[in-house]
Amino acid sequence: MNLFRLSWKNLTYKPLAMLLSLILFALGVGLIALLLQINQQVQEKFESNLAGIDLVIGAKGSPLQLILCNMYHIDSPTGNIPIKSARPFLNPKHPLIRMAVPLSLGDNHKSYRIVGTTHTFVDSIYPADLVEGQLWQADMEVCVGATVAEKLNMKVGDLFHSAHGFVDDGMNIHDQGDKFKVVGIFEPTGTVLDQLLLTNTQSIWAVHEHEDDKGPPANAGAQEHNHDHDHENDHAHHDHDAAAPAPPRKALIDEIDKDVTSILVRYRSKSNWRSLNLARNINENTDMQAATPAFEMARLTSMMGTGEALLRQLAIIIVIVSGLSIFISLFSSLKERRYELALMRVMGATRERLFLLIVLEGLLLALIGYVIGILLSHIGMQILAVYMEDAYRYSFSGWNFMQEELWLLVAALGIGFLAAILPAIQASRTDISTTLTDS
């Protein structure tokens, strides 16, 4: 007598009852698994992009917005800060700051953000090697993250105009100035770097300065005509200008009439009490704002955790209800199966065998419900990943399997066992003579 086959036939004898139990169980398991996947992948993105940054300095506004914009690149800037005000924090001799990396934001290419910064961003903040080309050296040279290069099919040597803002709406194209030139493509890092295009800060300034230019004056044509007319007379003068070397570029810290969006800071020592007070001093004594990434992300996780906890509790309730459904289904079927169970005893089945038969039915329902729930959760995550990637430019996947899913299997089988144990005990106590006499 094959217990597995017999259990399956007993379950399929009432398909509607089995289907109800499976749907409830699958929904509960699937919702829990989906929440686990979302939580794990979001946490991985948060943690991988913290990058050891102790402080972010920017314009006054929401500290959480400051972090989301300048570290995770999923929000808008709170504004810009003048280098004149930020100079002390950019000074390499600052007693508390070991590293300060400026960021300049505001433009995009096909909705991927262009960030003006220094080589330190890829040397120390998000270390990455180039799979092709070299790091930017001159203005309007750009290096492209792995995801950007893949999605936009970009190659070294490509040229493009940037657009104002962070969304590609086909408008606000900076098409009056020079084009950006791709000189390097980064390897995949699993960090926000994959979603960015990096250039120097001066390129961001140059694009916006050119955009602010209102065009040539009304007599430009006459001036051009006069220039052509007098070109021969001024030939020596033009040769002299062409041969003159370009003036040396100012250091970033000396561009006191310019702005940056933010500064990413690492302390020399996190245990120094003066470092711990730096953020408060900036917030209280300057027109800038300082936010601590770890604190803000913990606050965000806490806010998200409330909704997640409610959904998880709902999923647990669904699983418990499905367990009760399995219990009711098995227990109610015993009355109809009493004669069948008595005949099995007559044919030599022991009480233990009847007990195992009913328990196996409960475990089968739980296992099938678990498998369906896990499949639904991964399919749902894959669908959500498309929308989440479009919205946040982060890569998510529905096909990452977690160790927690094994524990979820154990819990599902445990619920199936508990739901079946009372009906199984009742089945094992079937009295042969009484049951056959009553029949």
Side-chain angles (χ1 to χ4, degrees), residues 223-280:
Q223 290 176 345
E224 184 176 352
H225 175 77
N226 291 338
H227 173 79
D228 292 341
H229 179 75
D230 297 335
H231 182 76
E232 187 173 341
N233 296 332
D234 294 342
H235 182 73
H237 175 70
H238 282 289
D239 284 347
H240 174 74
D241 286 347
R249 171 180 287 175
K250 290 182 181 178
L252 195 66
I253 196 173
D254 294 326
E255 297 277 7
I256 58 175
D257 58 336
K258 305 291 186 182
D259 294 339
V260 293
T261 304
S262 65
I263 302 172
L264 307 183
V265 172
R266 281 183 184 168
Y267 296 141
R268 293 186 184 275
S269 173
K270 296 183 182 181
S271 59
N272 189 328
W273 66 271
R274 295 173 62 196
S275 298
L276 300 179
N277 287 328
L278 182 60
R280 186 178 65 181

Side-chain angles (χ1 to χ4, degrees), residues 107-111 160-165 167-177 179 207 211:
D107 286 350
N108 79 90
H109 177 55
K110 305 295 184 182
S111 294
F160 65 90
H161 282 297
S162 62
H164 185 67
V167 178
D168 179 27
D169 55 5
M171 303 174 65
N172 300 315
I173 305 295
H174 298 305
D175 56 1
Q176 300 300 316
K179 291 183 177 181
V207 168
E211 192 68 18

Side-chain angles (χ1 to χ4, degrees), residues 122 129-137 140-146 148-149 154-158 160 180-187 193 196-199:
V122 292
D129 294 326
L130 291 160
V131 295
E132 187 178 356
Q134 63 181 15
L135 285 178
W136 67 93
Q137 302 297 331
M140 307 309 292
E141 292 184 345
V142 64
C143 291
V144 180
V148 182
M154 300 187 77
K155 303 177 294 294
V156 170
D158 286 353
F160 65 90
F180 281 99
K181 180 180 180 181
V182 178
V183 297
I185 296 176
F186 292 112
E187 67 177 3
L193 176 63
L196 303 177
L197 299 93
L198 303 183
T199 185

Side-chain angles (χ1 to χ4, degrees), residues 344-345 348-356 427-428:
M344 290 178 63
R345 289 294 310 280
T350 63
R351 294 181 182 273
E352 291 77 13
R353 199 165 184 81
L354 294 183
F355 179 88
L356 288 175
S428 67

Side-chain angles (χ1 to χ4, degrees), residues 57 63 83 127 191 195 272 289 414:
I57 303 173
I83 290 182
T191 68
Q195 321 290 332
N272 189 328
Q289 175 184 217

